[in-house]
Amino acid sequence: MGLRNRTGIIGYLFLAGVFSVLLTVLADKLLLEELNDAYSQTEIIISGIAAGNESGEALLKWLKESPDETFLKAGADRMAENGYTTQTQTIWDQKYSAAKNRILAGSILFDVFILFLLCLLFVLYNKRDNARIFSLEHMLCRLQTTEAADLDFSDPVLNDALHARMVSLQKQIQADRLQMQQEKEHTKALVTDISHQLKTPVAALKTSIELLSCEDMADTERQEFFAACTHQLDCLENLTASLVGVSRLEKGMIQIHPEPSPIKETILSAVSRLYEKAADKQISIEMTEDTCSETVPVLHDKKWTAEVLVNLLDNAVKYSGRHSKIVIRADELTSYIRISIEDNGIGIPKDEWHKIFKRFYRGRDVRDLEGSGVGLYLARKIVEKQNGTIFVSSKTGRQHGSVFSLQLPKA
């Protein structure tokens, strides 16, 4: 029970006590007024009849029946004629005072009893509440230990709502612990992967720098080692940029803002960034004739979708032989636009199709080639944040190569 509930119960008990006292005071006031009128009326009847020498039968008659106002006035006048007024103290006033005192005493005792009962209820409630708090505190302490999975919540002081909350809290704590354990293992694997990725360029740099320290090295060889150092530094820079991109994406620092627009402009933007690299290997990049890429609006973020296409095209150029061809195709489906990138590279074994999109994964056929194993992981994350999908397949027939397909929803 929370502090607000406890305060509410105290307030209700206080209001109940005040209401009980006010109700008793009001009842006493009405009862005493009626009693006063009755005694005064009786006094007038008896005194009036006695002063008028009426018989006892008349006295009994008017005591049993309600006399009219005329008779009461006549009785009061007879009392006044004999020197008695309504202010004169009689036995009836004494009886009224005694009855009044008894009523007031009974009312006070009743109010004291009610207040005592309310206090008793508060004490019992507070005792039960304290027992519940102690039980909750004990359970919460046990929830912080490894005993949480075996914790029994069948304590009778817990009502259904508290029981449900405690069970929910237990499941949440267990899930958090499992997630923390997974993140711990994930961090270990990440550190191992990063160390492995850094090992090769760092070792190459160290070797090249040691060789450059030799004084009898020819200028041609020195230039070659300088070029090797520059190349390895570029690899480290690309790896660092990829790691930063992964970190920013997973922490939500990269914001994806899909907007409806044709996809062709985005494709051309990606091709222009890889055109020179492809030309160096005499690889042609072609796009099939279609209308959907120019006319059908696709819900995508131009900047980050272009990054995905650049990554796919870069892999196609990297793993394709010289004088080969890369074909880009856009097809309109019912709810999606599919962009396919087809190369004539070394291909990907079928058992690795679902693995290559994992972070730092390198296929067994490309482990000796440059790469960080981060690009396809980032590509899938970016596409999924746009409610799209990305997958790979092999080319049919005797041709070698792969086909990477990117599907984005139509606007």
Side-chain angles (χ1 to χ4, degrees):
M1 299 293 287
L3 179 60
R4 181 179 299 178
N5 290 340
R6 181 190 291 265
T7 304
I9 293 296
I10 295 174
Y12 289 141
L13 291 176
F14 176 77
L15 291 176
V18 171
F19 178 77
S20 176
V21 172
L22 292 178
L23 185 62
T24 305
V25 171
L26 179 60
D28 288 348
K29 182 176 183 301
L30 296 175
L31 182 59
L32 289 174
E33 288 181 353
E34 184 176 352
L35 185 63
N36 185 32
D37 291 341
Y39 275 118
S40 298
Q41 189 180 78
T42 303
E43 181 181 18
I44 292 173
I45 293 172
I46 294 175
S47 301
I49 291 176
N53 297 319
E54 299 288 345
S55 64
E57 294 180 358
L59 174 62
L60 293 175
K61 174 185 176 183
W62 291 119
L63 287 176
K64 291 180 180 180
E65 301 178 7
S66 298
D68 55 18
E69 294 295 330
T70 304
F71 179 82
L72 292 177
K73 185 177 183 305
D77 292 339
R78 290 174 182 175
M79 287 179 63
E81 291 174 358
N82 291 274
Y84 294 97
T85 65
T86 56
Q87 303 300 323
T88 303
Q89 293 293 322
T90 65
I91 187 64
W92 298 107
D93 295 313
Q94 296 177 10
K95 291 181 177 295
Y96 169 74
S97 298
K100 176 181 177 182
N101 292 335
R102 287 195 298 271
I103 292 174
L104 292 177
S107 299
I108 293 174
L109 290 175
F110 176 77
D111 288 338
V112 170
F113 174 75
I114 292 298
L115 293 176
F116 172 77
L117 183 62
L118 293 176
C119 291
L120 181 62
L121 290 175
F122 173 75
V123 171
L124 293 176
Y125 168 80
N126 194 53
K127 183 178 179 180
R128 188 190 65 174
D129 204 25
N130 289 336
R132 182 175 296 167
I133 291 174
F134 176 79
S135 179
L136 287 175
E137 182 180 4
H138 176 67
M139 291 181 180
L140 289 174
C141 290
R142 292 186 61 191
L143 278 174
Q144 296 176 349
T145 68
T146 55
E147 302 174 0
D150 303 325
L151 189 57
D152 183 18
F153 293 105
S154 59
D155 196 316
V157 301
L158 296 181
N159 56 25
D160 293 339
L162 284 175
H163 180 271
R165 290 285 184 90
M166 292 299 293
V167 171
S168 176
L169 180 60
Q170 180 190 30
K171 293 180 179 179
Q172 182 63 44
I173 291 177
Q174 291 177 348
D176 291 343
R177 282 179 177 162
L178 179 60
Q179 183 179 0
M180 290 174 62
Q181 184 64 29
Q182 292 175 346
E183 289 180 354
K184 184 178 180 180
E185 298 297 329
H186 178 73
T187 302
K188 289 181 180 179
L190 178 61
V191 172
T192 302
D193 291 336
I194 293 176
S195 300
H196 178 74
Q197 295 294 331
L198 292 174
K199 183 177 180 180
T200 301
V202 169
L205 275 173
K206 182 179 180 181
T207 302
S208 298
I209 292 173
E210 289 177 352
L211 293 174
L212 283 172
S213 63
C214 298
E215 297 180 356
D216 57 345
M217 182 179 293
D219 291 340
T220 303
E221 294 179 340
R222 191 176 299 277
Q223 292 298 326
E224 290 178 356
F225 282 112
F226 270 124
C229 288
T230 302
H231 176 71
Q232 295 301 329
L233 286 174
D234 290 339
C235 292
L236 285 175
E237 183 179 8
N238 292 334
L239 177 60
T240 303
S242 298
L243 292 174
V244 170
V246 170
S247 176
R248 293 181 61 194
L249 185 65
E250 291 183 342
K251 290 183 178 180
M253 298 176 64
I254 294 179
Q255 299 296 322
I256 308 295
H257 301 288
E259 295 180 355
S261 62
I263 196 68
K264 186 169 185 178
E265 181 181 347
T266 306
I267 296 175
L268 295 177
S269 172
V271 171
S272 64
R273 293 166 60 179
L274 269 298
Y275 184 80
E276 184 176 350
K277 185 175 182 179
D280 291 340
K281 294 183 66 174
Q282 297 181 344
I283 297 175
S284 63
I285 301 178
E286 302 176 1
M287 187 170 181
T288 60
E289 295 293 335
D290 62 80
T291 57
C292 63
S293 63
E294 298 179 359
T295 59
V296 178
V298 180
L299 200 60
H300 70 293
D301 186 305
K302 291 184 178 180
K303 174 185 175 182
W304 291 107
T305 304
E307 291 293 332
V308 172
L309 294 173
V310 166
N311 181 273
L312 298 179
L313 289 170
D314 184 63
N315 285 341
V317 173
K318 183 189 299 184
Y319 299 124
S320 295
R322 301 178 67 85
H323 307 287
S324 59
K325 180 174 64 175
I326 297 173
V327 179
I328 303 174
R329 178 181 292 104
D331 299 310
E332 182 179 3
L333 305 179
T334 303
S335 302
Y336 293 88
I337 291 292
R338 177 185 294 170
I339 303 98
S340 301
I341 298 178
E342 178 181 331
D343 62 48
N344 294 314
I346 60 178
I348 302 172
K350 189 172 182 178
D351 61 340
E352 293 186 348
W353 288 359
H354 68 288
K355 299 178 181 178
I356 60 175
F357 295 100
K358 294 181 179 180
R359 182 168 50 188
F360 297 115
Y361 182 82
R362 301 295 310 283
R364 56 179 175 268
D365 296 334
V366 298
R367 289 175 181 173
D368 296 332
L369 302 176
E370 296 179 4
S372 61
V374 177
L376 290 178
Y377 171 79
L378 276 173
R380 169 165 282 188
K381 289 295 183 181
I382 292 172
V383 171
E384 289 178 349
K385 283 183 175 291
Q386 300 179 87
N387 297 319
T389 57
I390 183 172
F391 54 91
V392 65
S393 61
S394 295
K395 294 172 64 176
T396 59
R398 297 182 178 180
Q399 294 178 323
H400 294 288
S402 303
V403 180
F404 279 86
S405 299
L406 168 66
Q407 292 187 165
L408 293 171
K410 293 192 291 187

